[in-house]
Amino acid sequence: MVYIEYVKEKNLLPVNIKIKVSTMNFQLNLVKSILAVAGVAAVSAVSAAPASAVGFSFSNIVGGDNPGDAYQSNFTFDVLEQGESVLFNISNSGNAAAPSMFISKVLFDDNNFLSNAATNIAANIGTVAFTGGVGDDQLPQGGNGFTTNYAFSSDNGGGNKWGVQAGETLGLKFTGNYANVVSALNTGALKLGLHVQALPNGASDSYISSTSNTEATPEPLTMLAAGAAVGFGAMFKKQRDQAQKAQ
C-alpha cells in the first residue's frame, strides 16, 4: 500500500498499487543454470573412468579349515573396466572380532583371460605392497580344483605390515577383456583365492571367489544423468519460488 499526500488538505489518501515483476530474469537465469550444469556434466562424462564396475565376494573352501568362516564377508573385490585393461581392487573391510587379520596372498586361477600383470599401482589404499606375477604358488587348503596361474604375496616375507589390513585395498591390473572377465568370474572359469593370516588364536584361512557378483556399479554417464536430473529439478523449483515471491 502506498500513501499519496493530498496537497490542499494535507490528508493522506491510501492507494493500492499492484506491481507485476517480469519473469524474464527468472527465465534467463534458469537457462544459464541449465547450460552451466550441462557443461559440467559434459566435462565429467569425458573424464569419467572406469566405464563400469562389478563387485564380488568370497566363500569358504568346502571341506577346508574353518577358523575364518565367520569373516568371509569382510573380504570383497571389485572388477573395473579400464580400456583394454581390467583392475581388481581387493579389500579387507575389517572386523572387530579379528582386528589383526590381513590378506597375505592373492592367487588367480586364470584360464587365459588375463595377461601382463601389474602390482603396486595407484589403486592401492593404505600401507600395501605386493610382489608377484605368473606363478604356481598353491592356495593353502587347495580344494575346488583351484590351479594357480598368477600369485601375489605381501612384501617383507608375507608380514602384516604390507598385507591388506582392515580398511585397506590392493589393486592388481591386467590386460583383459572386461566383459569376458566378468562372465568368467560368474561361471567360475576365472577364480581368485585369498590366504588370510592373524585370525584369532593365531589361525589362518583361505577363501575362493564366489561365482556370482554382489553388486553392479552404474556407469558414470548413468549416474551423471540421474544427478543432472535431480539438480535441474531442485534448481527449477528454487528459482520458480523466488520468482513467485517477487510477484
Coordinates of all heavy atoms in Angstrom, one line a residue, residues 90-175:
I90 N 41.0 -55.4 -4.4 CA 40.8 -56.5 -3.4 C 40.8 -55.8 -2.0 O 41.9 -55.3 -1.6 CB 41.8 -57.6 -3.5 CG1 41.7 -58.2 -4.9 CG2 41.5 -58.7 -2.5 CD1 43.0 -58.6 -5.5
S91 N 39.7 -55.9 -1.2 CA 39.6 -55.1 0.0 C 39.3 -56.0 1.2 O 38.7 -57.1 1.2 CB 38.5 -54.1 -0.1 OG 38.7 -53.3 -1.2
N92 N 39.8 -55.5 2.4 CA 39.5 -56.0 3.7 C 38.8 -55.0 4.5 O 39.4 -54.0 4.8 CB 40.9 -56.4 4.3 CG 40.7 -56.9 5.8 OD1 39.6 -57.0 6.3 ND2 41.8 -57.1 6.4
S93 N 37.5 -55.2 4.7 CA 36.7 -54.2 5.5 C 37.0 -54.2 7.0 O 36.6 -53.3 7.7 CB 35.2 -54.4 5.2 OG 34.8 -55.6 5.7
G94 N 37.6 -55.3 7.5 CA 37.9 -55.4 8.9 C 36.8 -55.9 9.7 O 35.6 -55.9 9.3
N95 N 37.1 -56.4 10.9 CA 36.1 -57.0 11.8 C 36.6 -56.8 13.2 O 37.7 -57.2 13.5 CB 35.8 -58.5 11.5 CG 34.7 -59.0 12.2 OD1 34.6 -59.0 13.4 ND2 33.7 -59.5 11.4
A96 N 35.7 -56.3 14.1 CA 36.2 -56.0 15.5 C 36.6 -57.3 16.2 O 37.4 -57.2 17.1 CB 35.0 -55.3 16.2
A97 N 36.0 -58.4 15.8 CA 36.4 -59.7 16.5 C 37.7 -60.2 16.0 O 38.3 -61.1 16.6 CB 35.3 -60.7 16.2
A98 N 38.2 -59.7 14.9 CA 39.5 -60.2 14.4 C 40.3 -59.0 13.8 O 40.5 -58.9 12.6 CB 39.3 -61.2 13.3
P99 N 40.6 -58.0 14.7 CA 41.2 -56.7 14.2 C 42.5 -56.8 13.5 O 42.9 -55.9 12.8 CB 41.3 -55.9 15.5 CG 41.4 -56.9 16.6 CD 40.5 -58.0 16.1
S100 N 43.3 -57.9 13.8 CA 44.6 -58.0 13.2 C 44.7 -58.8 11.9 O 45.7 -58.9 11.3 CB 45.5 -58.7 14.2 OG 45.6 -57.9 15.4
M101 N 43.6 -59.4 11.5 CA 43.6 -60.2 10.3 C 44.0 -59.4 9.0 O 43.6 -58.3 8.9 CB 42.3 -60.9 10.1 CG 41.1 -60.0 9.7 SD 39.6 -61.0 9.5 CE 38.5 -59.7 9.0
F102 N 44.8 -60.1 8.1 CA 45.2 -59.4 6.9 C 45.4 -60.4 5.8 O 45.6 -61.6 6.0 CB 46.5 -58.6 7.2 CG 47.7 -59.6 7.4 CD1 48.6 -59.9 6.4 CD2 48.0 -60.1 8.7 CE1 49.7 -60.7 6.6 CE2 49.0 -60.9 8.9 CZ 49.9 -61.3 7.9
I103 N 45.2 -59.9 4.6 CA 45.4 -60.7 3.4 C 46.9 -60.8 3.1 O 47.5 -59.7 2.9 CB 44.7 -60.1 2.2 CG1 43.2 -60.1 2.5 CG2 44.9 -61.0 0.9 CD1 42.4 -59.3 1.4
S104 N 47.5 -62.0 3.1 CA 48.9 -62.1 2.8 C 49.2 -62.6 1.4 O 50.3 -62.4 0.8 CB 49.6 -63.0 3.8 OG 49.0 -64.3 3.7
K105 N 48.2 -63.3 0.7 CA 48.4 -63.8 -0.6 C 47.1 -63.6 -1.4 O 46.0 -63.8 -0.9 CB 48.8 -65.3 -0.6 CG 50.2 -65.6 -0.1 CD 50.5 -67.1 -0.3 CE 51.9 -67.4 0.2 NZ 52.2 -68.8 0.0
V106 N 47.3 -63.3 -2.7 CA 46.2 -63.3 -3.7 C 46.6 -64.1 -4.9 O 47.6 -63.8 -5.5 CB 45.8 -61.9 -4.1 CG1 44.7 -61.9 -5.1 CG2 45.5 -61.0 -2.9
L107 N 45.8 -65.1 -5.2 CA 46.1 -66.0 -6.3 C 45.0 -66.0 -7.3 O 43.9 -65.8 -7.0 CB 46.4 -67.5 -5.8 CG 47.3 -67.6 -4.6 CD1 47.4 -69.1 -4.2 CD2 48.7 -67.1 -4.9
F108 N 45.4 -66.3 -8.6 CA 44.4 -66.3 -9.7 C 44.5 -67.7 -10.4 O 45.5 -68.1 -10.8 CB 44.7 -65.2 -10.7 CG 44.4 -63.8 -10.2 CD1 45.2 -63.2 -9.3 CD2 43.3 -63.2 -10.7 CE1 44.9 -61.9 -8.9 CE2 43.0 -61.9 -10.3 CZ 43.8 -61.2 -9.4
D109 N 43.3 -68.3 -10.5 CA 43.1 -69.4 -11.4 C 42.5 -68.9 -12.7 O 41.3 -68.6 -12.7 CB 42.2 -70.5 -10.7 CG 42.1 -71.7 -11.6 OD1 42.5 -71.7 -12.7 OD2 41.6 -72.7 -11.0
D110 N 43.4 -68.6 -13.7 CA 43.0 -67.7 -14.8 C 42.4 -68.3 -16.0 O 41.4 -67.8 -16.5 CB 44.3 -67.0 -15.1 CG 44.1 -66.1 -16.4 OD1 43.1 -65.5 -16.5 OD2 45.0 -66.1 -17.2
N111 N 43.0 -69.4 -16.5 CA 42.5 -70.0 -17.8 C 42.5 -69.0 -19.0 O 41.6 -68.9 -19.8 CB 41.0 -70.5 -17.6 CG 41.0 -71.7 -16.7 OD1 41.8 -72.7 -16.9 ND2 40.1 -71.8 -15.7
N112 N 43.6 -68.2 -19.0 CA 43.9 -67.4 -20.2 C 43.0 -66.2 -20.4 O 42.8 -65.8 -21.6 CB 44.0 -68.3 -21.4 CG 45.1 -69.3 -21.4 OD1 46.2 -69.0 -20.9 ND2 44.7 -70.5 -21.8
F113 N 42.4 -65.7 -19.4 CA 41.6 -64.5 -19.5 C 42.4 -63.2 -19.2 O 42.0 -62.1 -19.6 CB 40.4 -64.5 -18.6 CG 39.3 -65.5 -18.9 CD1 39.3 -66.8 -18.3 CD2 38.4 -65.3 -19.9 CE1 38.4 -67.7 -18.6 CE2 37.5 -66.2 -20.3 CZ 37.5 -67.5 -19.6
L114 N 43.5 -63.4 -18.6 CA 44.3 -62.2 -18.2 C 45.8 -62.4 -18.6 O 46.3 -63.4 -18.9 CB 44.3 -62.1 -16.6 CG 43.0 -62.1 -15.9 CD1 43.2 -62.2 -14.4 CD2 42.3 -60.8 -16.3
S115 N 46.5 -61.2 -18.7 CA 47.9 -61.2 -19.1 C 48.5 -59.9 -18.6 O 47.8 -58.9 -18.2 CB 48.1 -61.3 -20.6 OG 47.5 -60.2 -21.3
N116 N 49.8 -59.8 -18.6 CA 50.5 -58.5 -18.2 C 50.1 -58.0 -16.9 O 49.6 -56.9 -16.8 CB 50.3 -57.5 -19.3 CG 50.8 -57.9 -20.7 OD1 51.8 -58.6 -20.9 ND2 50.0 -57.6 -21.7
A117 N 50.4 -58.7 -15.8 CA 50.0 -58.3 -14.5 C 50.9 -57.1 -14.0 O 52.0 -57.0 -14.3 CB 50.2 -59.5 -13.5
A118 N 50.2 -56.2 -13.3 CA 50.9 -55.0 -12.7 C 50.5 -54.9 -11.3 O 49.3 -54.9 -10.9 CB 50.6 -53.8 -13.5
T119 N 51.5 -54.7 -10.4 CA 51.2 -54.6 -9.0 C 51.6 -53.2 -8.5 O 52.3 -52.4 -9.1 CB 52.0 -55.6 -8.1 OG1 53.4 -55.4 -8.4 CG2 51.6 -57.0 -8.6
N120 N 51.2 -52.9 -7.2 CA 51.5 -51.7 -6.5 C 51.2 -50.4 -7.4 O 52.0 -49.5 -7.5 CB 53.0 -51.7 -6.1 CG 53.4 -52.8 -5.2 OD1 52.6 -53.2 -4.4 ND2 54.5 -53.4 -5.4
I121 N 50.0 -50.4 -7.8 CA 49.5 -49.3 -8.7 C 48.8 -48.3 -7.8 O 48.6 -48.5 -6.6 CB 48.7 -49.8 -9.8 CG1 47.5 -50.6 -9.2 CG2 49.5 -50.7 -10.7 CD1 46.5 -51.1 -10.3
A122 N 48.3 -47.2 -8.4 CA 47.7 -46.1 -7.7 C 46.4 -46.5 -7.0 O 46.0 -45.8 -6.1 CB 47.4 -44.9 -8.6
A123 N 45.9 -47.7 -7.4 CA 44.6 -48.1 -6.7 C 44.8 -48.6 -5.3 O 43.8 -48.7 -4.6 CB 44.0 -49.2 -7.6
N124 N 46.0 -48.9 -4.9 CA 46.3 -49.3 -3.5 C 45.8 -48.3 -2.5 O 46.0 -47.1 -2.7 CB 47.8 -49.6 -3.3 CG 48.3 -50.8 -3.9 OD1 47.5 -51.6 -4.6 ND2 49.5 -51.1 -3.7
I125 N 45.2 -48.8 -1.5 CA 44.7 -47.9 -0.4 C 45.4 -48.4 0.9 O 45.2 -49.6 1.3 CB 43.2 -47.9 -0.2 CG1 42.5 -47.3 -1.5 CG2 42.8 -47.1 1.0 CD1 41.0 -47.4 -1.5
G126 N 46.1 -47.6 1.6 CA 46.8 -47.9 2.8 C 48.2 -48.3 2.6 O 48.8 -48.1 1.5
T127 N 48.8 -48.9 3.6 CA 50.2 -49.3 3.5 C 50.2 -50.7 2.9 O 50.3 -51.7 3.7 CB 50.9 -49.3 4.9 OG1 50.7 -48.0 5.5 CG2 52.4 -49.6 4.8
V128 N 50.1 -50.8 1.6 CA 50.0 -52.1 0.9 C 51.1 -52.2 -0.1 O 51.3 -51.3 -0.9 CB 48.6 -52.2 0.3 CG1 48.5 -53.5 -0.5 CG2 47.5 -52.1 1.4
A129 N 51.8 -53.3 -0.2 CA 52.8 -53.6 -1.2 C 52.9 -55.1 -1.4 O 53.1 -55.9 -0.5 CB 54.1 -53.0 -0.8
F130 N 52.6 -55.5 -2.7 CA 52.7 -56.9 -3.0 C 53.7 -57.1 -4.2 O 53.9 -56.2 -5.0 CB 51.3 -57.4 -3.5 CG 50.4 -57.9 -2.3 CD1 50.1 -57.0 -1.3 CD2 50.0 -59.2 -2.3 CE1 49.3 -57.4 -0.2 CE2 49.2 -59.6 -1.2 CZ 48.8 -58.7 -0.2
T131 N 54.2 -58.3 -4.3 CA 55.1 -58.7 -5.4 C 54.6 -60.0 -6.0 O 54.1 -60.9 -5.2 CB 56.5 -58.9 -4.9 OG1 57.0 -57.7 -4.3 CG2 57.4 -59.3 -6.0
G132 N 54.7 -60.1 -7.3 CA 54.2 -61.4 -7.9 C 54.0 -61.2 -9.4 O 54.3 -60.2 -10.0
G133 N 53.4 -62.2 -10.0 CA 53.1 -62.3 -11.4 C 52.7 -63.7 -11.7 O 52.1 -64.4 -10.9
V134 N 53.2 -64.1 -12.9 CA 53.0 -65.5 -13.3 C 53.6 -66.5 -12.3 O 54.8 -66.3 -11.9 CB 53.5 -65.8 -14.7 CG1 53.4 -67.3 -15.1 CG2 52.8 -64.9 -15.7
G135 N 52.9 -67.4 -11.8 CA 53.4 -68.4 -10.8 C 52.5 -69.4 -10.5 O 51.3 -69.4 -10.8
D136 N 52.9 -70.5 -9.7 CA 52.1 -71.6 -9.4 C 52.0 -71.9 -7.9 O 51.8 -73.0 -7.5 CB 52.6 -72.9 -10.1 CG 54.0 -73.2 -9.8 OD1 54.6 -72.5 -8.9 OD2 54.5 -74.2 -10.3
D137 N 52.2 -70.8 -7.1 CA 52.1 -70.9 -5.7 C 50.8 -71.5 -5.3 O 49.7 -71.0 -5.8 CB 52.3 -69.6 -5.0 CG 52.5 -69.6 -3.5 OD1 52.6 -70.8 -3.0 OD2 52.6 -68.6 -2.9
Q138 N 50.7 -72.5 -4.5 CA 49.5 -73.2 -4.2 C 48.7 -72.4 -3.1 O 49.2 -71.9 -2.1 CB 49.7 -74.6 -3.7 CG 50.3 -75.5 -4.8 CD 49.4 -75.5 -6.0 OE1 48.2 -75.9 -5.9 NE2 49.9 -75.1 -7.2
L139 N 47.4 -72.4 -3.3 CA 46.5 -71.8 -2.3 C 46.4 -72.8 -1.1 O 46.1 -73.9 -1.2 CB 45.1 -71.6 -2.9 CG 44.0 -71.0 -2.0 CD1 44.4 -69.6 -1.6 CD2 42.6 -71.1 -2.6
P140 N 46.7 -72.3 0.1 CA 46.6 -73.2 1.3 C 45.2 -73.8 1.4 O 44.2 -73.1 1.1 CB 46.8 -72.2 2.5 CG 47.8 -71.1 1.9 CD 47.2 -71.0 0.5
Q141 N 45.2 -75.0 1.7 CA 44.0 -75.9 1.7 C 43.6 -76.4 0.3 O 42.8 -77.3 0.2 CB 42.7 -75.1 2.3 CG 42.9 -74.7 3.7 CD 41.7 -74.0 4.3 OE1 40.6 -74.4 4.0 NE2 41.9 -72.9 4.9
G142 N 44.1 -75.7 -0.7 CA 43.7 -76.2 -2.1 C 42.2 -76.2 -2.2 O 41.5 -75.3 -1.8
G143 N 41.7 -77.3 -2.8 CA 40.3 -77.5 -2.9 C 39.7 -76.9 -4.1 O 40.2 -76.0 -4.7
N144 N 38.5 -77.3 -4.5 CA 37.7 -76.8 -5.5 C 38.4 -76.7 -6.9 O 38.1 -75.9 -7.7 CB 37.2 -75.4 -5.2 CG 36.1 -75.4 -4.1 OD1 35.8 -76.5 -3.6 ND2 35.6 -74.3 -3.7
G145 N 39.4 -77.6 -7.1 CA 40.1 -77.6 -8.3 C 40.8 -76.4 -8.7 O 41.0 -76.0 -9.8
F146 N 41.3 -75.6 -7.7 CA 42.0 -74.4 -7.9 C 43.4 -74.6 -8.4 O 44.2 -75.2 -7.7 CB 42.0 -73.5 -6.6 CG 42.4 -72.1 -6.8 CD1 41.4 -71.1 -6.9 CD2 43.7 -71.7 -6.8 CE1 41.8 -69.8 -7.0 CE2 44.1 -70.4 -7.0 CZ 43.1 -69.4 -7.1
T147 N 43.7 -74.1 -9.5 CA 45.1 -74.2 -10.1 C 45.6 -72.8 -10.3 O 45.1 -72.0 -11.1 CB 45.1 -74.9 -11.5 OG1 44.5 -76.2 -11.3 CG2 46.5 -75.0 -12.1
T148 N 46.7 -72.5 -9.7 CA 47.3 -71.1 -9.7 C 48.0 -70.8 -11.0 O 48.9 -71.6 -11.4 CB 48.2 -70.9 -8.5 OG1 47.5 -71.2 -7.3 CG2 48.8 -69.5 -8.5
N149 N 47.7 -69.7 -11.6 CA 48.4 -69.1 -12.7 C 49.1 -67.8 -12.4 O 50.1 -67.5 -13.0 CB 47.4 -68.9 -13.9 CG 46.6 -70.1 -14.3 OD1 45.4 -70.2 -14.1 ND2 47.3 -71.2 -14.8
Y150 N 48.6 -67.0 -11.5 CA 49.2 -65.8 -11.0 C 49.2 -65.8 -9.5 O 48.2 -66.2 -8.9 CB 48.5 -64.6 -11.5 CG 48.6 -64.3 -13.0 CD1 47.6 -64.8 -13.9 CD2 49.6 -63.6 -13.5 CE1 47.7 -64.6 -15.2 CE2 49.7 -63.4 -14.9 CZ 48.7 -63.9 -15.7 OH 48.8 -63.6 -17.1
A151 N 50.3 -65.4 -8.9 CA 50.5 -65.5 -7.5 C 51.1 -64.2 -7.0 O 52.1 -63.7 -7.5 CB 51.3 -66.6 -7.0
F152 N 50.5 -63.6 -6.0 CA 51.0 -62.3 -5.4 C 51.0 -62.4 -3.9 O 50.1 -62.9 -3.3 CB 50.1 -61.1 -5.8 CG 49.8 -61.0 -7.3 CD1 48.8 -61.7 -7.9 CD2 50.7 -60.2 -8.1 CE1 48.6 -61.6 -9.3 CE2 50.5 -60.1 -9.4 CZ 49.4 -60.8 -10.0
S153 N 52.2 -62.0 -3.3 CA 52.4 -62.1 -1.8 C 52.8 -60.7 -1.3 O 53.5 -60.0 -2.0 CB 53.4 -63.1 -1.5 OG 53.1 -64.4 -1.9
S154 N 52.3 -60.4 -0.1 CA 52.7 -59.2 0.5 C 54.2 -59.1 0.7 O 54.9 -60.2 1.0 CB 52.0 -59.0 1.9 OG 52.3 -60.0 2.8
D155 N 54.8 -58.0 0.6 CA 56.3 -57.8 0.7 C 56.7 -58.1 2.2 O 55.9 -58.2 3.1 CB 56.7 -56.4 0.3 CG 56.6 -56.2 -1.2 OD1 56.3 -57.1 -1.9 OD2 56.8 -55.0 -1.6
N156 N 58.0 -58.2 2.4 CA 58.6 -58.4 3.7 C 58.2 -59.8 4.2 O 57.8 -60.0 5.4 CB 58.2 -57.3 4.7 CG 59.0 -57.3 6.0 OD1 60.1 -57.8 6.0 ND2 58.3 -56.9 7.0
G157 N 58.3 -60.8 3.3 CA 58.0 -62.2 3.7 C 56.6 -62.5 4.1 O 56.4 -63.4 4.9
G158 N 55.7 -61.7 3.5 CA 54.3 -62.0 3.8 C 53.8 -61.5 5.1 O 52.7 -61.8 5.6
G159 N 54.5 -60.6 5.7 CA 54.1 -60.0 7.0 C 53.0 -59.0 6.9 O 52.6 -58.6 5.8
N160 N 52.4 -58.7 8.0 CA 51.2 -57.9 8.0 C 51.4 -56.4 7.7 O 50.5 -55.7 7.3 CB 50.5 -58.0 9.4 CG 51.3 -57.3 10.5 OD1 52.5 -57.3 10.4 ND2 50.6 -56.9 11.5
K161 N 52.7 -55.9 7.8 CA 53.0 -54.5 7.5 C 52.5 -54.1 6.1 O 51.9 -53.1 5.9 CB 54.4 -54.2 7.7 CG 54.8 -52.8 7.4 CD 56.3 -52.5 7.6 CE 56.6 -51.1 7.2 NZ 58.1 -50.8 7.4
W162 N 52.8 -55.0 5.1 CA 52.5 -54.7 3.8 C 51.3 -55.4 3.2 O 50.9 -55.3 2.1 CB 53.7 -54.9 2.9 CG 54.9 -54.2 3.2 CD1 56.0 -54.7 3.8 CD2 55.1 -52.8 3.1 NE1 57.0 -53.7 4.1 CE2 56.4 -52.5 3.6 CE3 54.4 -51.7 2.6 CZ2 57.0 -51.2 3.7 CZ3 54.9 -50.4 2.6 CH2 56.2 -50.2 3.1
G163 N 50.7 -56.3 4.1 CA 49.5 -57.0 3.7 C 48.3 -56.1 3.7 O 48.3 -54.9 4.1
V164 N 47.2 -56.6 3.3 CA 45.9 -55.9 3.2 C 45.2 -56.0 4.5 O 44.5 -56.9 4.8 CB 45.0 -56.4 2.1 CG1 43.8 -55.5 1.9 CG2 45.7 -56.4 0.7
Q165 N 45.4 -55.0 5.4 CA 44.9 -54.9 6.7 C 43.5 -54.3 6.6 O 43.0 -53.9 5.6 CB 45.8 -54.2 7.7 CG 47.2 -54.9 7.8 CD 48.1 -54.2 8.8 OE1 47.9 -54.4 10.0 NE2 49.0 -53.4 8.3
A166 N 42.8 -54.2 7.8 CA 41.5 -53.6 7.9 C 41.4 -52.2 7.3 O 42.3 -51.4 7.6 CB 41.0 -53.5 9.3
G167 N 40.5 -52.0 6.4 CA 40.3 -50.7 5.7 C 41.2 -50.5 4.5 O 41.2 -49.4 4.0
E168 N 42.0 -51.5 4.1 CA 43.0 -51.3 3.0 C 42.5 -52.1 1.8 O 41.7 -53.0 1.8 CB 44.4 -51.7 3.5 CG 44.9 -50.9 4.6 CD 46.3 -51.3 5.0 OE1 46.7 -52.4 4.8 OE2 47.1 -50.4 5.5
T169 N 43.1 -51.7 0.7 CA 42.8 -52.3 -0.6 C 44.0 -52.5 -1.4 O 44.9 -51.6 -1.5 CB 41.8 -51.4 -1.4 OG1 40.6 -51.3 -0.7 CG2 41.5 -51.9 -2.8
L170 N 44.1 -53.6 -2.1 CA 45.2 -54.0 -3.0 C 44.7 -53.9 -4.5 O 43.6 -54.5 -4.8 CB 45.7 -55.4 -2.8 CG 46.6 -56.0 -3.9 CD1 48.0 -55.2 -3.9 CD2 46.9 -57.5 -3.6
G171 N 45.4 -53.1 -5.3 CA 45.0 -53.0 -6.7 C 45.9 -53.9 -7.6 O 47.1 -53.8 -7.5
L172 N 45.3 -54.7 -8.4 CA 46.1 -55.6 -9.4 C 45.5 -55.4 -10.7 O 44.3 -55.5 -10.9 CB 46.0 -57.0 -9.0 CG 46.6 -57.4 -7.6 CD1 46.3 -58.9 -7.3 CD2 48.1 -57.2 -7.6
K173 N 46.3 -55.0 -11.7 CA 45.9 -54.6 -13.0 C 46.4 -55.6 -14.1 O 47.5 -56.1 -14.0 CB 46.3 -53.2 -13.4 CG 45.7 -52.6 -14.6 CD 46.1 -51.2 -14.8 CE 45.4 -50.5 -15.9 NZ 45.8 -49.1 -16.1
F174 N 45.5 -56.0 -15.0 CA 45.8 -56.9 -16.1 C 45.3 -56.4 -17.4 O 44.4 -55.6 -17.5 CB 45.2 -58.3 -15.8 CG 45.6 -59.0 -14.6 CD1 45.0 -58.7 -13.4 CD2 46.6 -60.0 -14.6 CE1 45.4 -59.4 -12.2 CE2 47.0 -60.7 -13.5 CZ 46.4 -60.4 -12.3
T175 N 46.0 -56.9 -18.5 CA 45.3 -56.7 -19.8 C 44.3 -57.8 -19.9 O 44.5 -59.0 -19.5 CB 46.4 -56.9 -20.9 OG1 47.4 -56.0 -20.8 CG2 45.7 -56.8 -22.3

